[in-house]
């Protein structure tokens, strides 16, 4: 594990999640408690944008088209939230594993 991986896969994702939390707390906090659907959308949309379904039906009226687009955005946000959880777990792993790997490398060089 290198310092570059530690920063790119450990520090930066946690900082990005911290910024998303700081900015998104006004969206997902409702009456002093967390609305979990909004929480999932706040974390899922930035990461799940490439996974959103862009399906525009041609034989529906405007309300049906907007409903399908909204459904695609919600499904993309759910995929993004699952991916965000995986990224957060990996970042915490890098935060804890990097100091241990540095200590092991130093010990090997001493022997």
């Amino acid at each position: 594990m290198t310092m570059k991986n530690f920063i790119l896969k450990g520090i930066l994702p946690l900082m990005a999640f911290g910024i998303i939390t700081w900015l998104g707390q006004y969206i997902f906090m409702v009456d002093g408690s967390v609305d979990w659907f909004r929480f999932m959308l706040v974390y899922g949309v930035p990461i799940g944008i490439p996974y959103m379904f862009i399906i525009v039906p041609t034989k529906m009226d405007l309300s049906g088209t907007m409903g399908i687009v909204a459904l695609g955005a919600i499904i993309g946000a759910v995929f993004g939230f699952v991916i965000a959880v995986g990224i957060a777990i990996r970042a915490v792993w890098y935060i804890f594993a990097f100091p241990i790997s540095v200590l092991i490398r130093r010990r090997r060089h001493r022997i």
Side-chain angles (χ1 to χ4, degrees):
M1 187 178 310
T2 63
M3 182 63 88
K4 179 181 175 183
N5 284 342
F6 174 67
I7 292 172
L8 290 178
K9 295 180 181 179
I11 299 293
L12 288 180
L14 290 180
M15 286 177 55
F17 287 138
I19 291 170
I20 290 172
T21 303
W22 178 56
L23 294 174
Q25 70 184 347
Y26 302 108
I27 297 172
F28 64 77
M29 293 295 288
V30 178
D31 296 330
S33 64
V34 175
D35 181 8
W36 291 104
F37 179 71
R38 290 181 183 181
F39 182 81
M40 188 172 52
L41 289 178
V42 165
Y43 281 99
V45 168
I47 296 170
I49 287 175
Y51 304 103
M52 290 183 184
F53 297 124
I54 308 297
I55 300 172
V56 180
T58 57
K59 298 188 180 198
M60 290 187 170
D61 56 344
L62 181 62
S63 62
T65 303
M66 293 306 294
I68 294 296
V69 169
L71 180 67
I74 290 171
I75 291 172
V78 170
F79 287 159
F81 182 72
V82 171
I83 294 168
V85 168
I87 290 171
I89 290 170
R90 184 181 68 179
V92 169
W93 170 255
Y94 270 92
I95 295 292
F96 285 118
F98 181 72
I100 295 169
S101 69
V102 169
L103 290 174
I104 290 172
R105 271 188 268 151
R106 284 189 183 170
R107 185 174 175 101
R108 283 185 187 165
H109 288 297
R110 263 194 244 163
I111 296 176

